Amino acid sequence: MENLHDIYNSGVYATIILPIATPKIYTYVVPKSFVDQIQSGIRVEVQFGKNKLYSGIVYEIHKNKPKEYQPKPILTIIDDKPIVNMYQLKFWKWMANYYLSPMGSVMNAALPANLKLASETKIMLSPLFDNDFSDFSDKEYLIAEALTIQNEIAISDIQKILDQKTVYPILYKLLEKGVIYIKEEMNTKYKPKLISCVKLTPYYQEDQSRLAEAFEKIKRSLKQTEALLALIQFQKTIDDVSRKKIYEKANSSSTVLKELEKKEIIKFYDKPISRIAKHEDDLLVAGELSEHQVTALSDIKEQFEKQNVVLLHGVTGSGKTRIYIEMMKEVIAKGGQVLYLLPEIALTTQMISRLKKVFGDDIVVSHSRLNNNQRVDIWKAVGNGMPVVLGARSSVFLPFKDLQLVIIDEEHDDSFKQSAPAPRYNGRDVGIYLAHLFGAKTLMGTATPAISTYYNALKGKFGLVEMTERFGGISMPTIEIIDKKDALKKNRMKSVFTLKLIETIEEVLKKGEQVILFQNRRGYSPVMQCEVCGWHTECKHCDVSMTYHKYFNNLQCHYCGSQQNLPTDCPACGSSKLSLKGHGTEKILEELEIIFPHAKVKRMDLDTVRTKNALNDLITEFENKEIDILIGTQMVTKGLDFENVTIVGVLSADQSLHVPDYRANERSFQLLTQVSGRAGRAKKEGLVMIQAFDTSHPVLHDVVQYDYINYFKRELRERQKFRYPPYSRLIKITLKHRDPKVVNEAGKILGARLKRYLGDRVLGPAKPSVARVRNQFLIDFLIKIEINNKVIQQVKNVILEQTNGLTGMKGFSSVRVNLDVDVY
């Protein structure tokens, strides 16, 4: 027998990405027997630590033996061919470096759950064991003897052999003696979707003239005859005939087909099919481009001659989607692939139905509502060259082969930013880098560009194309600011509605037109408060108020998701005078039903669209005019297009304007402009009514005037003054721990270390506005870095070195560190 040294000493090594958050990726030795099979991008089984086994992705194959540790051997090769291509591996590496995230975290974010592996622990006999049982206990002997008979045994089987539940101490002793090792049997969870099909048995397939014999066998059964005739007819045009088709065509049943099977006329078999829904309607030809769109398209192509990234700044309703379609068609004609990124599922639902009508089965949609098997089917379809992918930010991880165009719609949207877990990436920015890897072009589109994006366009880093008119000559909606303070003084308020807004909605409903109302708070009431002592409901795990949800009749925390029953009296003073303060979408819907009893009112928020089809059903209802008033959170502001909506109401603009955040004005301008763009999308004139207490705020003036440039210049002056992006880059460091003393001490130590190297770039340590979430106390740092790539990389290196050093110190190993690069 070849000794172990000779087996493993091939001189070939592989760096393996494991699905764990280790700062470095580990190198393993490739056994001689695997040298011809090993390749980048395949999954392998390896041991990590003493006895834990993982499946990992081969990142790189080389001949450099690590000096710091003795590499362990790869145990098993799982795949015959790579499941991750070279572009993806380069992309993962860049993301890990840029976002200060372990490669294992990137791997976890990138791979569909069903391409990850399930484990069932097995025990195997070590090849080092020499069959010497002399110093074994009786129980150790029973296990070792069983393993000499069987190749591997599950732990559950060992429990049966020894007739006891606790077997780990015995196994650990055998592990220490080198007699056994633990094997994690790796099985992919993915199962292809199968349909049951029917075909003639080989006897009849080989010679169709024999079918007369078959009909003779079944001449007494009309049902069997009709089923066989249906199969013969289908087989003329279809390779795989499903049982379902036979049932429908011959008005038959499974009993009839089973009788044909018994008589050896037909046989059943299963065929794997894709879970990606097929488009069965006729394709539509996209409408003619307007003169304005033709000019914009020409300008984009001209910009692409000089730039790889172009910003299309077009007012709401200018027809940006039609331009995207034209560019997508050109890429498809060349055999390339397109990635069309949208910030969230609310937009993909309506957009996919439109694009399916143009591109049919050449497009797939990828988002978080898909089940795990659907994700794998899309992964495979993209790897096989699917022309168009429409999806949310995670679509950047799909295995593109020939990506030629990346479209980033609503590029300004905060939903492109991943907040947790790591990597905390921005879908817009990584989309641009992904296009760069392929040598592809990137087209970003929005009516309200992010300050940094527009700044980069003006500086020449990106190309810039402007569209200042709505498609078809439709005018922009009129925007009116309603003074809530004045309405309160004159007693012209009904709950959160000014009488002017109510009167306008009544007029619109009489015409059979629709209304969208925006309120950025879900639930019924944000606070339950005692009228005697002022006590209010707070989450037990977070430093935030609990929101009352009437539908569930409970209090919910929107940070950690915990729920509580309603208190009957005040836990502080015992008073029963508890009242609900504030208005969420649930309460507003209830009040709208009272004010407008004949109107059909529904809401669109996280609570109403949790299920797979709920959002699509709600949008379909609204498009079909089955809903008169739609009240919603930010979901209703983003890119939705309803031709019968003539009034949009913003119930409280002050909510977003007075947030303690340097981006409050930017977010407010974008939000108010975008929600305004939902009105008057067709020939009907649109009106937007914005209720606010602070009507003199400059952002409101810019929204009314559609004056992006004035807003942009004012914001730029403020940011330059205080060194905020685009004049700096920001990295946020958050420390978390269950003990406030530990996290505060860790903050002091880290703060001192960071300031030693980074000076006044470091702001903090500071408690955030919500200083406890899920029973973890938080301390924040904000690092402002000048725009210099060399300096930025040096600062990142310092941050990694000092945060790793902190968690390596005695007493701070349990402190969690979150790093957020380009934080909003």
Side-chain angles (χ1 to χ4, degrees):
M1 178 180 172
E2 195 174 11
N3 66 49
L4 286 175
H5 179 77
D6 291 335
I7 292 172
Y8 295 140
N9 190 21
S10 64
V12 178
Y13 299 89
T15 307
I16 309 295
I17 309 169
L18 300 177
I20 50 177
T22 55
K24 295 181 180 179
I25 50 180
Y26 281 76
T27 294
Y28 288 80
V29 63
V30 181
K32 284 182 177 179
S33 57
F34 293 160
V35 168
D36 292 336
Q37 300 167 256
I38 198 77
Q39 52 185 317
S40 295
I42 64 171
R43 291 173 297 178
V44 294
E45 183 183 359
V46 294
Q47 182 181 344
F48 182 76
K50 283 189 176 181
N51 49 34
K52 186 66 179 173
L53 301 179
Y54 287 97
S55 70
I57 297 285
V58 178
Y59 174 69
E60 189 178 24
I61 301 161
H62 52 84
K63 294 194 174 183
N64 304 318
K65 182 180 178 181
K67 297 176 183 177
E68 300 83 1
Y69 56 91
Q70 181 65 34
K72 296 173 182 175
I74 290 172
L75 301 177
T76 312
I77 289 182
I78 296 168
D79 300 306
D80 296 325
K81 58 184 180 180
I83 64 164
V84 176
N85 64 41
M86 67 171 199
Y87 290 109
Q88 290 172 286
L89 292 175
K90 287 180 183 177
F91 185 53
W92 292 8
K93 181 65 174 176
W94 174 82
M95 281 193 74
N97 289 337
Y98 187 88
Y99 289 104
L100 304 178
S101 174
M103 282 280 273
S105 297
V106 178
M107 173 185 167
N108 271 329
L111 283 182
N114 282 5
L115 285 182
K116 297 169 192 176
L117 304 172
S119 303
E120 181 185 348
T121 304
K122 302 268 187 172
I123 304 301
M124 299 189 73
L125 199 64
S126 169
L128 297 171
F129 179 56
D130 58 2
N131 291 329
D132 181 3
F133 299 97
S134 57
D135 62 344
F136 282 26
S137 69
D138 290 343
K139 290 179 179 179
E140 290 171 2
Y141 176 84
L142 285 173
I143 295 171
E145 185 185 49
L147 285 168
T148 59
I149 300 167
Q150 300 178 54
N151 185 40
E152 58 190 40
I153 301 176
I155 287 179
S156 57
D157 292 329
I158 292 172
Q159 290 170 329
K160 291 173 186 175
I161 291 168
L162 300 182
D163 193 23
Q164 64 184 60
K165 285 186 178 179
T166 307
V167 297
Y168 284 107
I170 303 163
L171 294 178
Y172 284 135
K173 287 180 181 177
L174 290 172
L175 282 165
E176 287 171 5
K177 293 177 180 179
V179 176
I180 63 168
Y181 70 90
I182 294 174
K183 178 180 187 297
E184 300 267 324
E185 186 178 357
M186 302 297 177
N187 296 310
T188 56
K189 296 183 201 170
Y190 173 70
K191 292 181 180 178
K193 184 176 181 180
L194 303 173
I195 58 166
S196 181
C197 294
V198 186
K199 63 182 177 182
L200 295 169
T201 56
Y203 177 78
Y204 296 106
Q205 278 185 328
E206 290 164 6
D207 187 350
Q208 295 279 311
S209 65
R210 294 172 181 167
L211 283 170
E213 299 173 26
F215 283 111
E216 182 64 27
K217 284 184 183 180
I218 59 174
K219 65 182 180 182
R220 292 177 181 274
S221 171
L222 179 60
K223 286 287 184 185
Q224 292 177 32
T225 302
E226 288 175 343
L228 182 55
L229 283 169
L231 174 60
I232 293 167
Q233 187 177 345
F234 277 128
Q235 282 192 326
K236 291 176 182 177
T237 55
I238 301 174
D239 291 333
D240 299 287
V241 183
S242 68
R243 286 199 201 193
K244 186 179 178 183
K245 283 187 178 291
I246 304 292
Y247 296 156
E248 291 171 353
K249 179 77 173 175
N251 192 22
S252 186
S253 66
S254 60
T255 306
V256 173
L257 292 186
K258 283 177 182 175
E259 285 300 318
L260 289 173
E261 184 192 29
K262 281 181 186 177
K263 293 170 182 174
E264 297 183 343
I265 297 171
I266 65 169
K267 62 183 296 185
F268 299 126
Y269 66 101
D270 290 330
K271 176 179 171 56
I273 62 165
S274 173
R275 292 177 175 85
I276 300 168
K278 295 292 183 184
H279 183 79
E280 296 180 354
D281 299 330
D282 292 335
L283 298 184
L284 299 179
V285 177
E288 289 292 317
L289 293 168
S290 68
E291 186 180 335
H292 199 53
Q293 288 171 328
V294 169
T295 302
L297 184 61
S298 175
D299 290 345
I300 290 167
K301 290 179 180 179
E302 187 179 324
Q303 290 288 326
F304 274 148
E305 295 294 322
K306 301 173 283 186
Q307 301 279 8
N308 288 323
V309 183
V310 172
L311 170 64
L312 176 59
H313 178 202
V315 297
T316 56
S318 57
K320 295 185 288 293
T321 305
R322 180 64 187 85
I323 291 173
Y324 301 154
I325 288 171
E326 203 63 27
M327 300 200 69
M328 291 157 71
K329 285 163 72 175
E330 291 179 12
V331 171
I332 293 171
K334 292 186 289 186
Q337 290 177 295
V338 179
L339 171 59
Y340 189 135
L341 285 172
L342 283 163
E344 60 179 324
I345 187 176
L347 296 177
T348 62
T349 300
Q350 194 176 41
M351 188 62 73
I352 191 64
S353 63
R354 292 180 183 176
L355 296 182
K356 275 275 187 186
K357 291 174 183 176
V358 177
F359 297 106
D361 292 336
D362 282 343
I363 187 169
V364 291
V365 61
S366 172
H367 54 67
S368 59
R369 295 286 170 86
L370 299 174
N371 66 45
N372 290 330
N373 285 326
Q374 287 173 319
R375 288 170 191 262
V376 178
D377 281 352
I378 287 173
W379 182 278
K380 291 182 175 183
V382 175
N384 290 328
M386 174 62 69
V388 181
V389 176
L390 172 68
R393 61 176 180 258
S394 59
S395 304
V396 296
F397 293 116
L398 290 167
F400 294 95
K401 290 173 66 179
D402 185 16
L403 187 63
Q404 294 185 12
L405 176 66
V406 174
I407 295 170
I408 305 171
D409 203 4
E410 309 296 345
E411 67 80 26
H412 67 277
D413 200 290
D414 287 357
S415 298
F416 274 126
K417 179 68 172 174
Q418 164 87 353
S419 57
R424 294 173 175 82
Y425 65 96
N426 186 308
R428 175 197 61 204
D429 299 341
V430 300
I432 292 172
Y433 184 79
L434 182 66
H436 162 74
L437 277 180
F438 280 87
K441 301 294 184 181
T442 302
L443 178 61
M444 297 186 288
T446 178
T448 53
I451 292 286
S452 295
T453 303
Y454 200 74
Y455 176 83
N456 284 329
L458 293 182
K459 287 290 183 181
K461 184 176 180 181
F462 303 149
L464 176 62
V465 175
E466 309 265 9
M467 294 177 71
T468 56
E469 297 176 12
R470 277 188 157 188
F471 178 76
I474 296 169
S475 59
M476 297 294 289
T478 301
I479 301 178
E480 185 178 338
I481 306 297
I482 306 176
D483 191 334
K484 287 177 76 173
K485 194 189 298 180
D486 184 61
L488 271 173
K489 278 183 187 176
K490 296 177 179 178
N491 199 28
R492 289 187 57 79
M493 291 286 295
K494 193 169 187 178
S495 182
V496 294
F497 307 98
T498 58
L499 292 185
K500 187 169 187 180
L501 178 60
I502 290 173
E503 289 161 4
T504 307
I505 292 173
E506 282 176 341
E507 291 174 14
V508 166
L509 294 178
K510 284 176 185 176
K511 297 177 188 175
E513 295 167 355
Q514 292 169 292
V515 179
I516 288 178
L517 296 176
F518 168 61
Q519 172 77 345
N520 208 20
R521 277 185 180 154
R522 64 186 174 96
Y524 191 86
S525 291
V527 179
M528 174 175 270
Q529 191 172 41
C530 174
E531 294 180 8
V532 176
C533 70
W535 169 90
H536 65 276
T537 53
E538 277 199 358
C539 176
K540 295 176 181 177
H541 314 292
C542 311
D543 289 341
V544 291
S545 297
M546 302 281 280
T547 299
Y548 173 57
H549 287 249
K550 189 173 183 179
Y551 180 81
F552 301 103
N553 194 32
N554 67 9
L555 298 165
Q556 296 181 17
C557 175
H558 290 174
Y559 275 74
C560 72
S562 64
Q563 302 181 11
Q564 295 179 21
N565 292 327
L566 288 171
T568 54
D569 47 41
C570 175
C573 71
S575 169
S576 60
K577 293 185 177 180
L578 298 175
S579 61
L580 295 165
K581 306 290 184 182
H583 287 69
T585 52
E586 196 177 8
K587 187 175 184 181
I588 289 168
L589 181 142
E590 188 177 89
E591 293 181 351
L592 284 168
E593 289 176 332
I594 295 169
I595 298 169
F596 306 104
H598 302 296
K600 182 70 181 291
V601 186
K602 285 207 172 181
R603 61 190 169 100
M604 181 189 286
D605 56 33
L606 190 62
D607 296 325
T608 60
V609 298
R610 289 185 187 276
T611 59
K612 186 177 179 181
N613 298 315
L615 178 60
N616 191 47
D617 293 344
L618 188 60
I619 288 173
T620 301
E621 278 185 77
F622 199 62
E623 281 181 327
N624 293 338
K625 303 175 186 175
E626 297 167 22
I627 299 170
D628 300 307
I629 304 173
L630 184 65
I631 170 72
T633 54
Q634 287 192 41
M635 284 183 175
V636 300
T637 72
K638 299 179 179 181
L640 297 173
D641 188 354
F642 304 108
E643 62 178 21
N644 197 43
V645 173
T646 53
I647 295 292
V648 167
V650 178
L651 299 185
S652 182
D654 305 274
Q655 278 183 358
S656 60
L657 285 168
H658 300 293
V659 175
D661 184 340
Y662 84 95
R663 289 191 69 229
N665 286 350
E666 180 177 7
R667 285 194 176 108
S668 297
F669 181 87
Q670 290 166 345
L671 197 64
L672 295 173
T673 302
Q674 290 287 339
V675 75
S676 299
R678 301 316 110 210
R681 303 282 290 196
K683 296 294 181 183
K684 299 172 183 176
E685 188 177 348
L687 174 64
V688 181
M689 307 185 84
I690 300 176
Q691 298 184 157
F693 284 103
D694 185 6
T695 57
S696 63
H697 199 289
V699 166
L700 294 180
H701 178 269
D702 293 335
V703 169
V704 170
Q705 299 297 322
Y706 292 102
D707 195 344
Y708 177 85
I709 298 300
N710 188 60
Y711 140 79
F712 172 77
K713 288 179 178 177
R714 186 179 62 252
E715 280 301 297
L716 215 55
R717 288 193 296 271
E718 287 290 305
R719 296 196 183 186
Q720 188 171 27
K721 182 178 177 181
F722 295 104
R723 286 199 307 128
Y724 278 110
Y727 298 102
S728 68
R729 297 279 287 282
L730 301 181
I731 298 177
K732 181 181 176 184
I733 305 171
T734 301
L735 305 184
K736 298 183 178 184
H737 198 272
R738 285 183 170 272
D739 187 337
K741 292 179 182 177
V742 172
V743 79
N744 287 333
E745 186 61 28
K748 289 177 186 176
I749 293 170
L750 183 61
R753 290 184 169 197
L754 289 173
K755 287 172 183 176
R756 187 187 313 156
Y757 295 101
L758 304 179
D760 63 0
R761 297 186 185 94
V762 181
L763 302 178
K767 286 185 180 179
S769 55
V770 178
R772 181 174 60 103
V773 176
R774 294 184 176 90
N775 284 329
Q776 297 277 332
F777 291 87
L778 314 180
I779 289 291
D780 283 348
F781 293 88
L782 192 64
I783 316 296
K784 287 185 180 179
I785 317 168
E786 56 269 38
I787 304 298
N788 179 306
N789 288 337
K790 186 177 179 181
V791 173
I792 291 168
Q793 190 56 53
Q794 288 171 347
V795 170
K796 285 181 176 180
N797 292 340
V798 169
I799 290 170
L800 279 178
E801 184 180 342
Q802 296 307 320
T803 53
N804 288 337
L806 173 74
T807 54
M809 291 176 63
K810 187 178 179 181
F812 297 112
S813 60
S814 55
V815 174
R816 290 176 55 197
V817 180
N818 288 348
L819 302 177
D820 196 346
V821 177
D822 296 339
V823 64
Y824 277 155

